[in-house]
Amino acid sequence: DRAVLGMQKAIGTLRSTQPPAPSITGPLRELLAEIAPTAPGLEVNFQEVSGVRLAPEVERAMIGIVREALHNVRKHANAESVRLEVRRVDDEVEIAVIDDGVGFEGPSPTGHFGLEQIRELAEETGGRLETRSSHGSGTSVKAWIPLASPTSSQRRRA
């Protein structure tokens, strides 16, 4: 019994000394700083949630989604401003990239694979994607990503 209690205490100590996962805010700020020089005149508003901790594969997917969405805004939207919102909703992180650009009608414009790539990134982590756009009214790209990806929760069960 003492051996089991000792082992439980040691595991508890190890867990408490592990550094917390980094917040998504820092990497998103770095991404915005990297993109800013390539989009002069584009105003970027970043509305962040503090303290959201993510599994590494979820963070990679989020950064990829935001990078591709901002690339699309810069390249195709002819927008004056874009808003990036990140917020926690229950066990998910919601990412929204909303621009005031030219928009498009119907499905993703032919020959542009950016939205498909964003959809794949969201779905790889068990998330989902919603895009809304209309000609002359800008585009909204929203993704909901589970805080724990399916692969990390499977590893925990193993």
Side-chain angles (χ1 to χ4, degrees), residues 18-148:
Q18 290 180 342
S23 171
I24 189 62
T25 301
L28 286 175
R29 283 186 186 277
E30 290 172 17
L31 176 61
L32 293 174
E34 175 186 313
I35 289 173
T38 66
L42 179 65
E43 179 185 333
V44 178
N45 300 306
F46 179 26
Q47 299 176 4
E48 61 197 80
V49 63
S50 61
V52 174
R53 310 285 186 215
L54 305 171
E57 54 271 21
V58 172
E59 181 177 310
R60 277 191 297 277
M62 283 185 62
I63 295 295
I65 288 167
V66 171
R67 175 178 278 122
E68 188 60 36
L70 290 174
H71 173 76
N72 287 346
V73 169
R74 189 188 80 218
K75 193 168 181 183
H76 306 294
N78 195 26
E80 291 180 14
S81 68
V82 63
R83 191 170 73 236
L84 170 60
E85 299 174 357
V86 179
R87 68 178 142 252
R88 183 178 179 160
V89 180
D90 299 323
D91 291 337
E92 296 180 313
V93 175
E94 178 187 312
I95 310 155
V97 180
I98 304 159
D99 71 63
D100 65 356
V102 296
F104 59 87
E105 294 291 336
S108 175
T110 311
H112 299 286
F113 301 103
L115 288 176
E116 192 54 41
Q117 184 178 2
I118 292 170
R119 182 176 312 285
E120 288 173 11
L121 284 166
E123 290 174 355
E124 283 173 5
T125 58
R128 63 192 190 284
L129 181 76
E130 173 186 282
T131 58
R132 291 189 179 171
S133 187
S134 60
H135 190 69
S137 298
T139 301
S140 166
V141 176
K142 289 187 179 181
W144 292 267
I145 308 291
L147 286 173

